């Protein structure tokens, strides 16, 4: 039977402390004061059967650090080695969420100018929390590590900014980093409306006072078909009119800032990863439907702004947070041939933290631990992108062919399609009853046969082709309207003899969307000149994929990705103020000739 004791502890500056002896841990609950007087609810689990001093593994979350009171967590995530080694686990409700005091602000900017000692942001809240924990929690060794996935990954990354001296290691995993450029709700300024609508209708509701429960938003009925639901919804302004009704502050701010203005720039974490003094290991999945951008962007920002620190990146063949659960052997129709998630937890994540929190600071890990999603194996690199990669170009050619480093020779040539807002290209095949995690890797044959999707592919490869690093699309565009979106997909086409499931399979390797209005600047959009050719060039998140001998490389180009991304009206208007009459058909021409050679650029490693 578990033994329970309850005591008030003014000495610990906690509102209350509940200690529950169960299994190997004792649980304490504290209200930790921040520098402005706001108190944050924090649950701490201290081992009872491990003598000596122990490191603290901290997670800050907007999703609740439940259970509250006497109940214990059923597990602490990551490898069992953390428990066996006697780690202390701490979980905190961030400012304004669940049982913590204060006002919640989505992706709260970190303050560049602390004008008074009472100025706060997520970095100062992390500092104050760590200062309190190392001085008050029993049996800690004075070293703290932070870890979190998705939104908690944001708090982990920003917690490293102006690092507390006791913070020795952080691992932002699938971190929210940039809600304009690439994570969750915007990709290059194109609203990812499906995820935004579903998430913010509940998460974005106001919380009047601390509570162990979240606030539910209004109900809605899709009839099991999200594609039809969003088509019937009409212009984006109807979201607030019919559902949010002014209650979701983030949506109000979101639609008030359609361009990358100062409001968004203040929330661009990759560009503000300064003053990082601890070790960093950023983790992500190549097929992360929510935050594939964030992991790569946080790694690059940290590397650029903090030369000389210990900074590594791990990217595996995973969906969102998949590395923290299951074995990671399969995803969608793909079998990776090994337990990739188990390998990460046991051989990468635990050694990283243990080296800095209990050891000598030498985890013996590479700068970049990368999984090749085509060759199905891990590789180690001294830097990412790899220095050995040389730029290669996949040129769009006549007859819907794709050539490797063989540019068009003729001065004429284009392909065209009509993009119709009343019939946008679906983001997945079949009836869209839900947004799956596998859309990032799914067979693209459902789209290849549509007249509004251009398809270019190589001949059957005579040798392996390994592509590594950022991907760039260079599209020479001619429109009959003043705007349109462009979705470029990089695809691995399997051979006919690949088996019942994978025969002729068109595996999505990478895809990204880009509104033509931002071709010159995200701050100052410009309309497309009707009937004139202009270059639309943009970066897709990186890849590490070997297209095997006998396969083909394919590129698909389209102007909608619905309802994942909101349909562009295709007229140069503010999408959040667009009327139904602003949505028009556009004739799109992709030029592919010696003067305007549309192509995809990416690094290539020698076979």
């Amino acid at each position: 039977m578990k033994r329970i004791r309850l005591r008030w502890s003014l000495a610990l500056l906690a509102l209350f402390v509940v200690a529950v002896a169960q299994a190997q841990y004792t649980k304490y609950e504290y209200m930790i004061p921040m520098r402005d007087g706001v108190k944050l609810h924090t649950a701490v689990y201290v081992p009872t059967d491990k003598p000596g001093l122990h490191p603290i593994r901290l997670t800050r979350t907007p999703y609740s650090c439940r259970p509250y009171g006497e109940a214990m967590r059923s597990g602490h995530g990551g490898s069992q080695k953390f428990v066996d080694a006697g780690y202390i686990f701490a979980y905190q409700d961030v400012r304004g969420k669940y049982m913590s005091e204060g006002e919640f602000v989505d992706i709260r900017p970190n303050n560049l100018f602390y004008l008074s000692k009472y100025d706060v942001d997520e970095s100062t809240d992390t500092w104050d929390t760590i200062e309190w924990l190392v001085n008050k929690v029993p049996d800690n060794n004075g070293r703290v590590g932070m870890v979190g996935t998705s939104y908690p990954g944001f708090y982990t990354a920003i917690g490293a900014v102006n690092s507390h001296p006791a913070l020795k290691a952080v691992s932002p995993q699938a971190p929210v980093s940039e809600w304009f450029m690439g994570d969750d709700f915007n990709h290059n300024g194109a609203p990812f409306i499906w995820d935004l609508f579903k998430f913010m209708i509940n998460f974005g509701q106001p919380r009047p006072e601390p509570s162990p429960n979240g606030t539910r938003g209004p109900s809605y009925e899709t009839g099991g078909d999200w594609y039809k639901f969003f088509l019937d919804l009409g212009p984006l302004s109807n979201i607030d009119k019919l559902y949010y009704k002014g209650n979701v502050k983030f949506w109000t701010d979101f639609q008030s800032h359609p361009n990358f203005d100062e409001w968004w720039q203040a929330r661009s974490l990759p560009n503000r990863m300064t003053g990082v003094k601890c070790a960093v290991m950023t983790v992500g999945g190549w097929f992360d439907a929510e935050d594939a951008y964030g992991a790569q962007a946080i790694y690059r920002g940290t590397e650029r702004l903090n030369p000389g620190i210990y900074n590594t990146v791990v990217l595996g063949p995973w969906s969102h947070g998949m590395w923290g659960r299951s074995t990671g052997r399969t995803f969608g129709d793909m079998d990776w041939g090994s337990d990739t998630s188990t390998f990460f937890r046991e051989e990468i994540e635990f050694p990283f933290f243990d080296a800095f929190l209990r050891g000598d600071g030498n985890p013996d890990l590479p700068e970049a631990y990368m999984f090749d999603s085509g060759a199905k194996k891990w590789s180690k690199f001294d830097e990412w992108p790899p220095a050995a990669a040389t730029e290669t170009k996949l040129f769009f050619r006549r007859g819907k062919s794709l050539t490797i480093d063989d540019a068009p020779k003729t001065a004429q040539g284009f392909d065209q399609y009509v993009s119709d807002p009343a019939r946008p290209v679906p983001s997945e095949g079949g009836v869209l009853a839900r947004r799956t995690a596998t859309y990032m890797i799914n067979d693209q044959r459902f789209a290849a046969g549509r007249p509004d999707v251009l398809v270019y592919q190589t001949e059957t490869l005579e040798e392996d082709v390994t592509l590594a690093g950022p991907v760039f699309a260079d599209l020479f565009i001619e429109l009959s309207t003043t705007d349109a979106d462009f979705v470029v997909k990089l695809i691995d086409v399997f051979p006919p003899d690949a088996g019942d499931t994978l025969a002729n399979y068109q595996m999505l390797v990478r895809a990204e969307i880009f509104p033509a209005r931002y071709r010159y600047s995200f701050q100052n959009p410009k309309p497309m000149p009707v009937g004139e050719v202009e270059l639309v060039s943009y970066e897709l998140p990186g890849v590490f994929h070997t297209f095997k001998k006998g396969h083909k490389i394919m590129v698909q180009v389209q102007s909608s990705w619905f309802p994942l991304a909101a349909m562009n009206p295709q007229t140069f208007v503010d999408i959040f103020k667009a009327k139904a009459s602003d949505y028009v058909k556009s004739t799109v021409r992709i030029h592919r000739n010696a003067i305007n050679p549309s192509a995809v650029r990416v690094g290539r490693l020698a076979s």
Side-chain angles (χ1 to χ4, degrees), residues 306-439:
N306 304 276
I309 71 163
Y310 188 98
N311 183 43
T312 66
V313 61
V314 181
L315 294 173
W318 303 311
S319 63
H320 193 59
M322 183 178 166
W323 50 89
R325 59 183 185 273
S326 77
T327 65
R329 185 180 183 89
T330 62
F331 180 53
D333 293 318
M334 298 299 154
D335 186 325
W336 306 122
S338 64
D339 294 342
T340 62
S341 298
T342 303
F343 175 80
F344 164 75
R345 294 191 296 268
E346 302 297 320
E347 305 300 328
I348 302 176
E349 183 183 42
F350 178 77
F352 167 77
F353 277 110
D354 215 46
F356 291 100
L357 301 184
R358 293 199 310 158
D360 62 1
N362 181 20
D364 193 26
L365 294 171
E367 172 83 5
Y369 227 137
M370 300 294 191
F371 190 88
D372 184 328
S373 53
K376 301 182 180 179
K377 64 179 183 180
W378 289 99
S379 292
K380 300 177 182 180
F381 296 93
D382 294 332
E383 60 183 315
W384 190 262
T390 58
E391 184 178 84
T392 194
K393 292 186 178 182
L394 307 174
F395 286 101
F396 303 176
R397 299 296 299 273
R398 182 178 182 180
K400 306 299 176 62
S401 67
L402 191 69
T403 58
I404 301 175
D405 292 328
D406 182 13
K409 306 298 190 297
T410 61
Q412 301 295 323
F414 63 82
D415 299 301
Q416 73 177 35
Y417 58 87
V418 175
S419 176
D420 184 355
R423 192 174 173 267
V425 181
S427 47
E428 298 184 61
V431 176
L432 304 187
R434 62 187 181 91
R435 201 276 278 146
T436 71
T438 58
Y439 87 81

Side-chain angles (χ1 to χ4, degrees), residues 10-202:
L10 295 176
L12 291 181
L13 300 177
L15 181 62
F16 60 87
V17 178
V18 180
V20 183
Q22 177 177 317
Q24 299 174 322
Y25 280 86
T26 296
K27 176 184 179 183
Y28 299 88
E29 288 188 320
Y30 305 113
M31 293 297 288
I32 298 180
M34 302 294 102
R35 62 191 63 187
D36 63 346
V38 169
K39 297 182 177 66
L40 305 187
H41 182 276
T42 310
V44 181
Y45 295 79
V46 179
T48 58
D49 61 344
K50 306 288 185 185
L53 302 179
H54 314 289
I56 299 172
R57 190 169 183 257
L58 170 65
T59 297
R60 304 185 66 239
T61 178
Y63 297 138
S64 172
C65 66
R66 62 172 64 94
Y68 301 102
E70 299 177 1
M72 303 284 280
R73 290 179 67 95
S74 59
H76 297 287
S79 170
Q80 175 65 24
K81 293 178 181 178
F82 287 109
V83 174
D84 295 341
Y87 274 61
I88 296 169
F89 298 94
Y91 306 91
Q92 183 176 80
D93 290 333
V94 297
R95 181 180 291 255
K97 279 295 183 179
Y98 291 91
M99 293 301 291
S100 285
E101 299 173 353
E103 177 189 6
F104 177 76
V105 176
D106 270 298
I107 51 174
R108 187 193 307 270
N110 54 319
N111 197 337
L112 297 180
F113 308 101
Y114 298 98
L115 301 180
S116 85
K117 65 179 181 180
Y118 302 110
D119 285 347
V120 297
D121 55 24
E122 302 304 340
S123 178
T124 66
D125 280 358
T126 303
W127 177 288
D128 294 346
T129 297
I130 292 173
E131 179 73 12
W132 197 95
L133 290 174
V134 296
N135 282 289
K136 303 299 183 180
V137 170
D139 300 332
N140 83 84
N141 71 355
R143 297 184 184 185
V144 178
M146 286 188 71
V147 65
T149 299
S150 193
Y151 218 149
F154 164 82
Y155 292 103
T156 300
I158 204 169
V161 173
N162 302 320
S163 312
H164 189 286
L167 184 62
K168 302 301 183 183
V170 301
S171 182
Q173 301 185 357
V176 168
S177 71
E178 173 62 83
W179 274 352
F180 186 90
M181 292 299 181
D183 288 326
D184 292 302
F185 306 142
N186 248 335
H187 285 222
N188 295 310
F192 259 41
I193 201 63
W194 195 352
D195 283 359
L196 192 155
F197 176 84
K198 292 192 303 175
F199 182 79
M200 282 295 172
I201 200 167
N202 291 312

Side-chain angles (χ1 to χ4, degrees), residues 356-527:
F356 291 100
L357 301 184
R358 293 199 310 158
D360 62 1
N362 181 20
D364 193 26
L365 294 171
E367 172 83 5
Y369 227 137
M370 300 294 191
F371 190 88
D372 184 328
S373 53
K376 301 182 180 179
K377 64 179 183 180
W378 289 99
S379 292
K380 300 177 182 180
F381 296 93
D382 294 332
E383 60 183 315
W384 190 262
T390 58
E391 184 178 84
T392 194
K393 292 186 178 182
L394 307 174
F395 286 101
F396 303 176
R397 299 296 299 273
R398 182 178 182 180
K400 306 299 176 62
S401 67
L402 191 69
T403 58
I404 301 175
D405 292 328
D406 182 13
K409 306 298 190 297
T410 61
Q412 301 295 323
F414 63 82
D415 299 301
Q416 73 177 35
Y417 58 87
V418 175
S419 176
D420 184 355
R423 192 174 173 267
V425 181
S427 47
E428 298 184 61
V431 176
L432 304 187
R434 62 187 181 91
R435 201 276 278 146
T436 71
T438 58
Y439 87 81
M440 292 281 289
I441 198 172
N442 278 350
D443 189 347
Q444 297 300 298
R445 281 179 288 184
F446 75 90
R450 288 180 59 108
D452 50 358
V453 177
L454 296 180
V455 178
Y456 301 92
Q457 68 177 350
T458 65
E459 297 294 326
T460 300
L461 298 176
E462 297 181 354
E463 63 178 3
D464 291 354
V465 175
T466 300
L467 303 182
V471 181
F472 298 88
D474 298 329
L475 305 178
F476 288 90
I477 304 297
E478 180 185 349
L479 295 181
S480 66
T481 57
T482 51
D483 197 19
D485 286 344
F486 291 93
V487 179
V488 171
K489 303 175 184 175
L490 181 64
I491 295 165
D492 186 343
V493 182
F494 283 64
D497 61 355
D500 292 342
T501 301
L502 298 180
N504 301 308
Y505 198 96
Q506 295 177 7
M507 171 190 169
L508 186 60
V509 175
R510 178 61 71 224
E512 190 56 284
I513 192 169
F514 189 88
R517 64 176 55 213
Y518 294 127
R519 65 199 180 279
Y520 297 126
S521 167
F522 288 107
Q523 292 85 6
N524 300 296
K526 301 291 183 185

